[in-house]
Amino acid sequence: MNWFRDYLLPRGGATHAGDVDGLFMFIIYLTIFFFFFNGALIFYAVKRWRRRSDREVTPHITHDTRLELIWSFIPLVVVMLVFFWGFKGYVRAWVAPNDSIEIVATGKKWVWQFEYPDGTRTLNDLHVPVNKPVKLVLHSEDVIHSFYVPGFRLKRDAIPGRYTELWFTATEPGVQQVFCAEYCGKGHSDMLARIFVDTPEQYETFLREGDEQVRKMPLKDLGQLVYENKGCATCHSLDGTRGQGPSWKGIWGKVHTGTDGKQYTVDANYIRQSILQPQAVVVQGFEPIMPTFQGLLREREISGLIEFIKSQE
Amino acid sequence: MSEAITHNGIGHAAHHADYLEDPKGLWSWLTTLDHKRIGLMYLWSVLTFFLAGGIFALLIRLELLTPKQTIMTAEQYNRVFTLHGTIMVFLVIIPAIPAALGNFVLPLLLGAKDVAFPRLNLASLYVYWTGALMALSTLLLGGVDTGWTFYTPYSTTTGGGVTMMVLAAFTLGFSSIFTGVNFITTIHKLRAPGMGWFEMPLFCWGMYSTALIQVLATPVLGITLLLLVMERVLGVGIFDPQLGGDPVLFQHFFWFYSHPAVYIMILPGMAVISEIIPTFSKKTIFGYKAIAFSSVAIALLGFLVWAHHMFVAGMSLFAGAIFSFLTFFIAIPSAIKVFNWIATMWRGSISLEAPMLYAMAFLLIFTIGGLTGLFLAALSTDVHLHDTYFVVSHFHYVMAGTSLFALLAGIHYWWPKMFGRMYSNKLAPLACALVFIGFNATFLPQFVLGSRGMPRRYYNYLPQFQDLHVASTVGSWILAAGLFLAAAYLLASFRGPKNAPANPWGGRTLEWETTSPPTTHNFEGQPVLQHGPYDYRANPAPVGVHEHSH
Ligand SMILES: [Cu+2]
C-alpha cells in the first residue's frame, strides 16, 4: 500500500520521517476501519430493524456491563499504543546529536534568514549537507512564525524573545520546501524558503564561495552585502561622519598618515592589509581597535569590499 | 412517584393561547421572560449569523479556487477568514444548541415552567446582541486580521479593530456565562417531582456539562482578553516581548478557555443526539449512566489538555508528553457514547424520519472527526500536521460538522413543538444527503492537503495543491445547496396550518406531553414523572399532565 502513503504524504527526506509515516498510516487504517465498522453497524441496524408497524415493541435493554467494559477497554489499549508510538518519535526528534552543524534561523515578516557557523548568511535558501545532523536555532524578530518542512515532517515555532530548536538529518540530496506555518499577516503565505540538501562536494563549494545567489552577485553588491552583514558598518560610515573608524567616503586613492608617521595611499593592497592585519598600519587619530578578519572573509568578498570602497565617492 | 405532588396546577389554563400568540406584538417579544421565546430569538439570531459566517466561508473557498489572487487581496482574505472564524465560534456554534435549542427545551424536558432566572436569561440575549453588534462594528474600524485566536504579539501590534473585536468576544462570554449559570440552577432546582438525576433526559446532562465549562472556563477567556486590551491600549507588557512580556503565555491562557470551549460546542450536539436516537429507535437508551457520566468526564478532562495546541511552540518534552497522554483519554468517553448510540438502535424499531437521518449523519461525521483527533493528540504526527489543513479539517468535523448536524437534527426534531407545524418530509432526505455529501466533499480533501503539507491561513499556495482545493470549493457549493434546501422546506411549513400533534414522533420525554406549540406556562399544571425518559415498555403507566384530579 505504498501508493496510498505516497498519495497522502510528501516524500520523506529526513531520518525520522519514516517513524512519523508509520504511525500516520497506522492511524489512517484505524480511522478507515472504524468509520466503516460504525457505518456498517448503523447500516445493518437500519436494514434489519427498520420500523414496519407503529405497534412494534422493542426489548428494554438498559445496559450490558460486560459489553461496555469491552468497548471502553479496546479503545483504551489502542490509544495508549498510539500515545507511546507518537511519544517515541517525538523523543527521537528531541535532542540533537553533539556533532550537529548549528545554524541560526531567524524569521521576520516575511523572510527566513540563516546564519552558518562560519558567519555566512543566506536569505530564504538554507544549505545543509546530506547525511549530517543539522541543528536549527530558531527565533523571530517580530511576531511568531513557524518553520515547517513537510518533507522532514518537522515544524517548530520561531518566537520573539526566546530560542527554540529543531534538528534533522537529511537523507537525500535535493530541494525541500519550507513554509511558515504560524499566521503572521499579509505575507504569511509567501514566507517560503527552500532547503538545499547538498552532496558533501556541493556543500564544500557553498561554504567556500557562498550560495549561487552570492556567486552570481556583482562584486560591488557583494561588497555592500559584506559591509552590512559583517559588522564593518558599525565602525565605518559611508557619509563622512567619523565613527570608531574612519569613514569610507572618498578615501579611495587618498593618502593617509599612519601612527608610525609614514604615508600610505589607499589602494587595493592597502585595503586588503587593513582588513587582514589591521594593526600593521593604524590611521592617525584612531585607536587600534579594528578586529582582524583573517579567515572570516572569502577571497571574493575581499575583492567585493575593495570595489565597494572604490565606489564611495 | 407519590400522588400528592401532582395537584398544583392552574385550573384555567385552557384559556391560554400558545406561547407564539400570547401576548402579541414585537414589544412583547423584546421584553418577554418566556424561555421559549428567548430560545427562538436566539435561534433566529444564530441562524442569521450562520448565514453571514457561511457566506464568508464560501468567499474563502472561492478565493482558494486558484493558487494566486482570485477574487480578493491578501488583506481582505485575512479579514474574511477572521470574521468567518469569530462569527462561527462566538456567535453561532457556542450559543447555537445551548442558548437556542437548550433554552427552548430544557425547562420542557424538566417539566418546569421556565428557567430558574428568566430575567438573567433575557439579559443574556441582550448581552449577546450587544456583543454581536460590537463584533460587526469592527468592519467599520478597518477590520480585524488576527484570526479568531488573536495570537500575540501579532494581535497586539497589527492595526484595525482588534480591540473592539476582543471586547466583543469578552462581552459574548458574559452571555454564555449567564446561560450556564441559569442552566445549572434550573437543573438543580426545577426538575419535576419524581425526576431524580438519573431520570433526567440525557439532554439535560449534556447541558449541565456544557454549563459547567461555560461557567468555569469563560472567565479565563475574559481575563485573557482584557489583558490583551490592556497591552494594546495602555502598553502594559504582558504578552509582547518588546514590552517584556511572553507571547506563549497568551497561548496557554487562550487555550485554557478555548480547548474546553471545543466541548461547549460538541457536548450540546451529543445531548441532542441522545434524545433523538431512542425516540426514532423506539427503544430505551443503552447505557444511560455511561452516556451521562461520559459527558461530565469530557467536560472535566477538557480542562486538562489545553496545551496540546502548543506541541511545536517550544514546550518541554515532559509537558508535551503529559498533555498528549491526557488528551488520549478524551477518546474513551467519546467512543463509549458512539457505541452506546449504536447499541440503542440495535434491535430497535427504527424509523428514518428527518431528525434521525441527520442524527445518523452526525454519528458518521463524529466518527471521522474523533478518530482524526488521534493524529493530533499523538506527538510525532502532530508536529507534521499542526497548523496545516489537516487541523482545519479535523476541527471542522468535530466542531462545525457535528454542531451543524446536531443543530439540524434538533431543529427538525423540535420544529413541530416550537412552531406547531410539520414540514415536508419529502425533501428532508435529499437535503440531508446534500449536506452530508457537501460537507465531506469540502473537508475530506483538506485532510489530504494538510498531510501533504499545505499550511492553514494561506492566501497564496503552491500550484501542486490546486486540485484538492478545487474539490473542496465545489464541495462547499453542494453543502450550501443542501442547507438552502433545508431552509426552504422548513420555512415553507409556515404557510401551512398549525397541525402538529403534541407528540408527532412518539417521544417519551415531558416536552411531548404538552401541546404543540406549548402554552406560555408550558404545562397545564405541574407534570409529574411517571416513567423514565426513554421507557418504551409495553403498557407503560399512564403519563402526562395532571390537572386537578379531585
Ligand atoms: Cu510567518
Side-chain angles (χ1 to χ4, degrees):
Chain A
M1 294 281 269
N2 278 348
W3 65 268
F4 192 39
R5 187 198 62 203
D6 296 342
Y7 174 74
L8 293 174
L9 293 162
R11 192 179 162 80
T15 39
H16 54 262
D19 211 38
V20 177
D21 295 0
L23 177 57
F24 182 91
M25 291 314 290
F26 176 74
I27 312 179
I28 279 282
Y29 293 131
L30 207 68
T31 304
I32 293 176
F33 172 77
F34 275 106
F35 176 76
F36 283 106
F37 181 70
N38 286 355
L41 289 179
I42 293 170
F43 185 76
Y44 178 80
V46 170
K47 272 234 104 53
R48 172 91 200 278
W49 294 295
R50 185 79 181 266
R51 188 177 302 172
R52 289 185 184 81
S53 117
D54 280 341
R55 283 194 301 278
E56 273 171 4
V57 177
T58 56
H60 189 77
I61 308 167
T62 56
H63 66 286
D64 179 336
T65 312
R66 207 170 47 115
L67 202 59
E68 286 176 85
L69 281 178
I70 291 175
W71 73 46
S72 311
F73 187 69
I74 292 177
L76 183 68
V77 172
V78 173
V79 297
M80 282 302 102
L81 176 74
V82 174
F83 163 73
F84 278 109
W85 195 339
F87 179 61
K88 199 185 76 186
Y90 191 66
V91 172
R92 274 212 215 144
W94 191 259
V95 186
N98 281 335
D99 59 342
S100 313
I101 302 170
E102 194 169 314
I103 298 172
V104 178
T106 307
K108 58 180 170 192
K109 288 179 184 170
W110 289 283
V111 290
W112 292 103
Q113 211 178 58
F114 304 103
E115 189 168 342
Y116 301 78
D118 66 352
T120 304
R121 291 191 191 189
T122 54
L123 197 67
N124 289 338
D125 285 349
L126 171 63
H127 282 261
V128 300
V130 71
N131 291 330
K132 284 249 168 60
V134 174
K135 176 164 128 185
L136 289 186
V137 178
L138 293 156
H139 80 116
S140 161
E141 283 187 5
D142 39 44
V143 299
I144 300 178
H145 303 279
S146 192
F147 190 83
Y148 176 32
V149 197
F152 292 170
R153 316 284 187 266
L154 278 181
K155 181 182 294 118
R156 186 105 328 147
D157 288 357
I159 303 168
R162 68 160 79 173
Y163 296 99
T164 49
E165 284 177 12
L166 178 80
W167 81 271
F168 56 85
T169 303
T171 51
E172 29 185 277
V175 183
Q176 291 287 347
Q177 182 66 48
V178 178
F179 295 105
C180 174
E182 182 63 64
Y183 173 70
C184 56
K186 185 176 162 218
H188 171 53
S189 64
D190 302 322
M191 192 168 161
L192 308 178
R194 284 175 304 176
I195 299 182
F196 290 85
V197 180
D198 291 344
T199 59
E201 301 79 56
Q202 286 171 324
Y203 190 65
E204 276 304 302
T205 327
F206 162 72
L207 286 184
R208 220 170 37 239
E209 296 166 23
D211 63 1
E212 210 169 336
Q213 229 176 321
V214 171
R215 286 200 294 265
K216 284 196 187 130
M217 213 178 254
L219 277 180
K220 196 186 119 203
D221 298 355
L222 179 63
Q224 172 157 18
L225 193 73
V226 177
Y227 169 75
E228 285 160 4
N229 284 348
K230 296 278 160 105
C232 320
T234 50
C235 301
H236 298 285
S237 82
L238 300 178
D239 58 2
T241 42
R242 189 193 148 105
Q244 285 178 290
S247 172
W248 288 353
K249 189 180 158 85
I251 59 169
W252 180 258
K254 291 272 161 58
V255 178
H256 284 175
T257 316
T259 41
D260 55 2
K262 292 194 188 132
Q263 306 259 300
Y264 298 92
T265 310
V266 180
D267 58 9
N269 278 322
Y270 172 80
I271 293 177
R272 192 184 160 79
Q273 191 190 38
S274 300
I275 295 171
L276 298 179
Q277 299 153 283
Q279 318 305 354
V281 178
V282 176
V283 186
Q284 223 167 37
F286 290 93
E287 299 291 314
I289 53 161
M290 170 155 164
T292 173
F293 286 84
Q294 185 87 50
L296 294 178
L297 293 177
R298 302 187 182 109
E299 243 346 284
R300 194 159 180 275
E301 288 173 334
I302 296 176
S303 313
L305 279 167
I306 294 169
E307 280 309 302
F308 181 62
I309 292 176
K310 201 193 270 182
S311 70
Q312 300 303 313
E313 274 146 18
Chain B
M1 272 122 263
S2 90
E3 270 297 307
I5 30 179
T6 65
H7 316 297
N8 48 359
I10 306 154
H12 50 271
H15 307 300
H16 284 287
D18 72 60
Y19 80 101
L20 293 166
E21 308 288 339
D22 178 35
K24 280 190 195 301
L26 182 64
W27 186 245
S28 78
W29 279 79
L30 291 176
T31 55
T32 185
L33 298 180
D34 181 353
H35 68 98
K36 299 183 291 304
R37 288 186 161 200
I38 295 174
L40 280 199
M41 287 191 281
Y42 255 120
L43 184 66
W44 295 124
S45 313
V46 162
L47 291 176
T48 308
F49 290 118
F50 180 57
L51 180 66
I55 289 173
F56 287 125
L58 289 172
L59 289 177
I60 293 174
R61 285 309 329 157
L62 199 56
E63 171 54 43
L64 293 173
L65 203 54
T66 68
K68 298 276 173 219
Q69 176 161 8
T70 314
I71 53 164
M72 55 179 113
T73 65
E75 282 102 330
Q76 287 166 335
Y77 178 79
N78 293 345
R79 283 168 175 73
V80 168
F81 80 65
T82 302
L83 268 176
H84 165 71
T86 328
I87 289 181
M88 287 302 203
V89 169
F90 294 110
L91 292 176
V92 180
I93 306 182
I94 290 181
I97 293 179
L101 292 183
N103 243 324
F104 186 89
V105 280
L106 183 75
L108 289 168
L109 285 169
L110 294 172
K113 277 201 186 95
D114 208 314
V115 292
F117 308 116
R119 274 169 221 282
L120 189 66
N121 202 15
L122 184 63
S124 107
L125 178 63
Y126 278 95
V127 172
Y128 169 80
W129 279 340
T130 312
L133 284 179
M134 289 165 74
L136 293 183
S137 75
T138 59
L139 280 171
L140 306 174
L141 298 171
V144 179
D145 70 342
T146 58
W148 79 278
T149 44
F150 304 116
Y151 268 22
T152 54
Y154 189 80
S155 60
T156 49
T157 49
T158 185
V162 179
T163 307
M164 181 54 95
M165 186 62 101
V166 166
L167 288 174
F170 178 79
T171 308
L172 290 166
F174 276 98
S175 103
S176 182
I177 295 174
F178 288 178
T179 305
V181 169
N182 224 333
F183 282 9
I184 291 178
T185 321
T186 306
I187 291 170
H188 272 276
K189 290 291 175 200
L190 299 183
R191 298 193 310 275
M195 187 186 282
W197 281 86
F198 296 112
E199 278 93 46
M200 276 197 316
L202 283 164
F203 185 85
C204 308
W205 277 98
M207 283 301 124
Y208 192 82
S209 316
T210 310
L212 277 183
I213 309 177
Q214 286 176 307
V215 170
L216 293 178
T218 318
V220 179
L221 177 75
I223 294 163
T224 311
L225 294 177
L226 272 195
L227 290 175
L228 192 76
V229 170
M230 276 168 66
E231 180 160 309
R232 250 185 97 87
V233 179
L234 307 174
V236 182
I238 297 153
F239 305 122
D240 186 350
Q242 295 278 335
L243 304 169
D246 181 352
V248 180
L249 183 66
F250 176 84
Q251 298 182 18
H252 280 289
F253 283 174
F254 180 82
W255 290 115
F256 188 82
Y257 163 76
S258 292
H259 191 77
V262 170
Y263 302 116
I264 296 184
M265 307 187 214
I266 178 84
L267 284 170
M270 296 169 156
V272 171
I273 301 307
S274 301
E275 293 306 309
I276 290 177
I277 291 194
T279 301
F280 292 91
S281 306
K282 211 180 172 192
K283 181 162 162 278
T284 195
I285 190 95
F286 185 96
Y288 176 100
K289 283 193 181 166
I291 294 182
F293 287 137
S294 60
S295 290
V296 181
I298 290 175
L300 297 181
L301 269 174
F303 279 97
L304 304 177
V305 300
W306 76 90
H308 66 212
H309 295 267
M310 302 162 58
F311 288 150
V312 303
M315 64 163 52
S316 77
L317 185 65
F318 183 66
I322 294 281
F323 280 108
S324 166
F325 184 73
L326 291 173
T327 301
F328 278 106
F329 282 95
I330 305 264
I332 313 298
S334 308
I336 289 177
K337 276 177 187 275
V338 172
F339 290 129
N340 277 305
W341 288 323
I342 295 178
T344 304
M345 294 170 69
W346 217 250
R347 297 176 64 192
S349 163
I350 301 170
S351 128
L352 295 183
E353 314 266 5
M356 185 62 170
L357 291 177
Y358 285 105
M360 279 160 38
F362 171 98
L363 289 184
L364 294 176
I365 295 286
F366 181 64
T367 301
I368 299 181
L371 284 158
T372 50
L374 297 181
F375 293 89
L376 304 172
L379 287 161
S380 67
T381 39
D382 178 70
V383 170
H384 175 52
L385 299 169
H386 178 78
D387 268 342
T388 68
Y389 264 77
F390 193 95
V391 175
V392 174
S393 188
H394 164 69
F395 73 69
H396 276 92
Y397 270 91
V398 278
M399 288 160 43
T402 53
S403 301
L404 178 63
F405 281 102
L407 181 67
L408 283 168
I411 288 178
H412 283 80
Y413 186 51
W414 286 302
W415 188 269
K417 188 57 63 185
M418 288 190 228
F419 302 110
R421 294 173 163 91
M422 301 302 286
Y423 44 84
S424 149
N425 236 331
K426 282 197 212 78
L427 290 171
L430 177 62
C432 181
L434 282 177
V435 176
F436 185 76
I437 293 169
F439 187 87
N440 286 298
T442 309
F443 292 106
L444 279 180
Q446 296 190 7
F447 281 125
V448 184
L449 277 171
S451 65
R452 287 184 177 180
M454 165 90 202
R456 65 193 283 204
R457 294 173 171 174
Y458 261 35
Y459 167 72
N460 292 322
Y461 56 84
L462 300 182
Q464 75 213 46
F465 296 122
Q466 189 173 10
D467 296 352
L468 289 163
H469 271 303
V470 170
S472 179
T473 302
V474 172
S476 71
W477 298 335
I478 304 176
L479 176 56
L483 289 172
F484 277 115
L485 183 61
Y489 68 72
L490 284 173
L491 292 177
S493 73
F494 285 117
R495 295 197 311 199
K498 282 190 187 163
N499 57 356
N503 189 359
W505 319 118
R508 300 290 276 150
T509 39
L510 285 175
E511 82 272 34
W512 304 115
E513 296 183 8
T514 181
T515 49
S516 296
T519 58
T520 305
H521 293 300
N522 295 348
F523 301 96
E524 306 304 339
Q526 171 65 59
V528 169
L529 204 69
Q530 305 285 332
H531 56 76
Y534 313 108
D535 193 339
Y536 287 92
R537 274 172 290 195
N539 306 319
V543 290
V545 175
H546 293 247
E547 292 214 26
H548 292 272
S549 50
H550 41 230

